[in-house]
Amino acid sequence: TLQERLKSAPEGSYTKRLFDDEQLLRDKLVEEAQELSEATEKDEVAGELADVLYFAMVRATKAGVSIDDAVAELDRRTRKVTRRPGDSKAFR
């Protein structure tokens, strides 16, 4: 569906705005990730996760990355012998 919308989303649609406006997409992705990190209740976490997944998939689709590409990357990472420490980066 997002692949189709990338090619033919109607003018004025929210998804088209996200595809066309890098800053809006970035801001929404960061905003929703922050909200997910602060969510505490199960339904709230589910709703924020859905938002993050939507905006992440818009970003991925725009970059030509599929969910299969992401799964392959996760698989590749599980086969690594050495691991990074997994520390977080400083919040912007």
Side-chain angles (χ1 to χ4, degrees):
T1 303
L2 284 174
Q3 285 288 348
E4 293 169 11
R5 292 198 180 194
L6 178 61
K7 298 173 190 167
S8 61
E11 284 300 322
S13 77
Y14 189 60
T15 301
K16 176 135 178 71
R17 283 184 58 211
L18 291 170
F19 280 132
D20 292 345
D21 187 339
E22 289 275 339
Q23 188 65 45
L24 175 63
L25 178 55
R26 181 199 167 281
D27 290 348
K28 290 303 296 181
L29 189 51
V30 170
E31 172 189 326
E32 297 302 338
Q34 178 70 32
E35 290 175 4
L36 174 60
S37 74
E38 296 169 354
T40 57
E41 300 299 319
K42 183 177 180 177
D43 61 335
E44 184 184 13
V45 170
E48 297 304 337
L49 176 59
D51 290 342
V52 168
L53 290 173
Y54 168 71
F55 291 111
M57 287 307 300
V58 170
R59 178 65 191 99
T61 299
K62 185 173 181 176
V65 175
S66 71
I67 193 73
D68 290 337
D69 296 329
V71 169
E73 176 62 17
L74 289 171
D75 287 343
R76 184 190 65 77
R77 290 179 184 186
T78 62
R79 290 189 298 270
K80 280 187 173 181
V81 174
T82 59
R83 300 239 181 241
R84 295 177 294 148
D87 298 332
S88 67
K89 296 179 183 175
F91 185 76
R92 299 187 216 189

